[in-house]
Amino acid sequence: MTKERLYLYDTTLRDGQQTQGVDFTAEDKTRIATALDRLGIDYVEGGWPGANPTDSDFFDAAPVLSTSVFTAFGMTKRSGRSAANDDVLAAVMNANTPAVCLVGKTHDFHVTKALGISLEENLDNIRESVAHIKAQGREALFDCEHFFDGYKANPDYTLKAAKAAYDAGARWIVLCDTNGGALPDDVRKATKAVIAAGIPGDHLGIHTHNDTEMAVANTLAAVDAGARQIQGTLNGLGERCGNANLTALIPTLLLKEPYASRFETGVSTAGLKSLTQLSRMLDDILNRVSHKWAAYVGASAFAHKAGLHASAILKDPTTYEHVDPSLVGNQRIIPMSNQAGQSNLRKRLKDAGIAAPEGAQMMEILDEIKRREDQGYAYDSAQASFEILARRVLGILPRFFEIMRYRVTVERAKAPGQERKTLSEAVVAVSIGGQKHLSASESMDETGNDQGPVNALWRALERDLGPYQAIIDDMHLVDFKVRITNGGTEAVTRVVIDSEDGEGRRWSTVGVSANIVDASFEALVDAINWKLLRDGAKPV
């Protein structure tokens, strides 16, 4: 059976930029656009030319895309001027992109209240703007703003507005749930009504927001009703609660029935396997922690903590997994915790390349995990530290280096005429093969701001590890989490550190102490030891 084509339209670089706390540079946008192109996305919307300096710079040095259609976003012409003489529309057209997407009012309330013009005048603005794009040889798309709210209030007018754009030559008419309040049945009925009004499904797109946690469901409802273009963002970025999440939609379309059998997209099987890496690349650009519980691509999406689940997973992964994690570039995790049984332990040891011992040694590892978790450790979120612990109990942990001592100082000083600033400094003495290595570092970044004592410790540790230096050069810290596990005078601090290397591998380590710096240092040492183990370092 011939599959129908679904077209994927990414708006991360515009809608995603409207996310609170997100501020892309032009370089960031180029990197993301190139990655989307490699993935096989059909349209990459770059932003609104002329709306801000970043977007203007980005379009001035437009990325070269081999698969994706580069698209500029703007709005329909304003009343009182022609499309050719509207300076806002001109800035969008001057970006010279192959496709142009314009947003226009389709809800009568917004036309009369927000724009203050007549309903017919708004239809004229839509027609003339789309015709202007077509006359210049560009592909035209029309975003029907507030479409579903408008359809409820005045379906006749909303359909007229959509049809005006289609009749003027728009390739795609995109139905927008701008407020994010629609439900799947609303979307399904309205989409069918648009098709019945004369706009074919293969010219119809869907653009949803996630204000009711329904963005993905609403998108699929539109596809079920006949829409054949899907708009969304990576990781569900977007204003307020975000947009439809492409990292959830793409694998659903490719792996789940009935979509997998009915449709094809520009994303290949190989491209799908890069999805987890792409999701985390975006988070890395934004300097934010990846959402562990994200569908398909989250670090915990295939984590099985309960002993009963882990036992079943060892027999057949489909018992507790809806898809093979490797299909989306993710991996299965069997965490270790005080709930763990021998099934968890055997699986985790196997994943670490450690032969599972028999009898007493297995119980010794389990008992040690439970004893340490009673002290405040958490190995379900620190897999690398679990491996270090297991090797230590089994007597197979190589001794790469030994910490002789360390010292951290925090100073708050004020130079004449300057603001008072804090500076952290660290000194670490390490023994490697009987030779002492002493290194020191401060935590001031390139902007002159103190990054804290843990950063100073890390810089001192990674500055001089002698024969191991080349192995850890591509390693860096990506997250630092602190939790107080007891209160009062017996308070204990747990620190979990996430690290990453140049191959994109991430691992977590844990340290516990009454002293936050000491707990951090323990986690740092585990992180380096795990990296050396994984890269095959040999003790000196």
Side-chain angles (χ1 to χ4, degrees), residues 3-8 40 42 228 262-266:
K3 293 184 178 182
E4 289 186 74
R5 184 70 154 85
L6 283 180
Y7 294 85
L8 302 175
D42 297 293
R228 293 298 177 258
R262 288 186 58 195
F263 302 109
E264 63 179 0
T265 71

Side-chain angles (χ1 to χ4, degrees), residues 469-510:
Q469 192 60 42
I471 295 177
I472 68 167
D473 275 345
D474 68 336
M475 175 181 166
H476 62 280
L477 310 183
V478 294
D479 194 24
F480 176 81
K481 299 180 281 290
V482 179
R483 182 172 181 181
I484 306 302
T485 60
N486 292 310
T489 58
E490 298 180 351
V492 173
T493 302
R494 177 198 300 150
V495 171
V496 175
I497 290 177
D498 292 344
S499 305
E500 185 176 42
D501 64 13
E503 295 181 12
R505 293 182 301 188
R506 289 199 178 194
W507 62 100
S508 299
T509 51
V510 62

Side-chain angles (χ1 to χ4, degrees), residues 241-530:
C241 303
N243 286 48
N245 189 348
L246 289 179
T247 55
L249 277 165
I250 291 172
T252 295
L253 294 170
L254 270 63
L255 301 175
K256 296 291 187 179
E257 296 298 346
Y259 307 104
S261 296
R262 288 186 58 195
F263 302 109
E264 63 179 0
T265 71
V267 179
S268 65
T269 301
L272 185 62
K273 289 182 178 180
S274 71
L275 195 63
T276 297
Q277 183 180 11
L278 177 58
S279 169
R280 294 175 185 175
M281 181 201 83
L282 177 62
D283 287 327
D284 186 59
I285 289 173
L286 297 175
N287 194 29
R288 56 195 259 173
V289 180
S290 296
H291 181 41
K292 284 188 175 182
W293 299 277
Y296 295 102
V297 298
S300 295
F302 301 95
H304 308 279
K305 182 175 179 178
L308 178 64
H309 293 192
S311 177
I313 284 287
L314 290 175
K315 297 172 185 175
D316 187 340
T318 62
T319 52
Y320 285 95
E321 289 178 351
H322 65 111
V323 298
D324 181 344
S326 67
L327 295 176
V328 292
N330 209 340
Q331 59 183 345
R332 180 178 304 119
I333 295 176
I334 307 293
M336 292 308 304
S337 73
N338 58 13
Q339 297 184 39
Q342 291 199 23
S343 296
N344 297 60
L345 180 55
R346 290 183 185 279
K347 177 63 171 64
R348 188 64 189 94
L349 291 173
K350 180 181 177 182
D351 290 344
I354 303 172
E358 297 298 331
Q361 280 192 310
M362 284 287 284
M363 292 308 301
E364 187 178 354
I365 296 173
L366 282 172
D367 289 345
E368 180 65 7
I369 288 170
K370 293 176 181 181
R371 183 185 70 81
R372 290 170 71 88
E373 290 211 340
D374 189 56
Q375 297 174 353
Y377 289 85
Y379 291 103
D380 61 330
S381 59
Q383 299 298 303
S385 281
F386 156 73
E387 182 178 339
I388 298 295
L389 173 63
R391 288 181 178 275
R392 185 177 291 118
V393 171
L394 295 174
I396 56 173
L397 179 65
R399 178 171 288 187
F400 298 113
F401 59 89
E402 183 177 0
I403 302 297
M404 301 173 64
R405 63 184 177 85
Y406 76 87
R407 183 178 72 250
V408 179
T409 62
V410 180
E411 177 185 5
R412 189 167 176 82
K414 181 179 185 299
Q418 295 183 355
E419 294 183 2
R420 189 176 297 275
K421 289 189 175 181
T422 302
L423 176 66
S424 303
E425 295 178 328
V427 178
V428 179
V430 181
S431 176
I432 303 176
Q435 292 188 347
K436 180 179 179 181
H437 293 252
L438 184 68
S439 59
S441 180
E442 61 179 32
S443 62
M444 193 75 72
D445 64 15
E446 62 275 5
T447 64
N449 294 315
D450 177 44
Q451 297 300 303
V454 176
N455 182 271
L457 269 175
W458 161 244
R459 288 188 176 186
L461 255 180
E462 58 92 24
R463 176 160 289 181
D464 184 12
L465 271 189
Y468 308 123
Q469 192 60 42
I471 295 177
I472 68 167
D473 275 345
D474 68 336
M475 175 181 166
H476 62 280
L477 310 183
V478 294
D479 194 24
F480 176 81
K481 299 180 281 290
V482 179
R483 182 172 181 181
I484 306 302
T485 60
N486 292 310
T489 58
E490 298 180 351
V492 173
T493 302
R494 177 198 300 150
V495 171
V496 175
I497 290 177
D498 292 344
S499 305
E500 185 176 42
D501 64 13
E503 295 181 12
R505 293 182 301 188
R506 289 199 178 194
W507 62 100
S508 299
T509 51
V510 62
V512 169
S513 173
N515 185 304
I516 186 173
V517 174
D518 196 50
S520 303
F521 193 71
E522 181 184 8
L524 285 173
V525 171
D526 270 8
I528 293 175
N529 272 314
W530 189 89

Side-chain angles (χ1 to χ4, degrees), residues 131-205:
H132 181 62
I133 295 172
K134 289 289 294 179
Q136 294 198 23
R138 316 284 183 82
E139 181 176 344
L141 299 92
F142 179 67
D143 273 5
C144 299
E145 189 182 36
H146 295 287
F147 178 84
F148 296 99
D149 291 332
Y151 184 78
K152 286 182 179 180
N154 186 342
D156 289 342
Y157 183 76
T158 304
L159 293 174
K160 280 183 181 179
K163 196 70 163 49
Y166 178 70
D167 290 341
R171 168 64 181 90
W172 291 104
I173 304 301
V174 184
L175 311 181
C176 301
D177 181 23
T178 309
N179 286 341
L183 298 179
D185 193 51
D186 301 329
V187 172
R188 189 178 296 107
K189 289 177 180 177
T191 303
K192 288 183 176 180
V194 175
I195 295 174
I199 301 177
D202 58 3
H203 285 257
L204 206 56

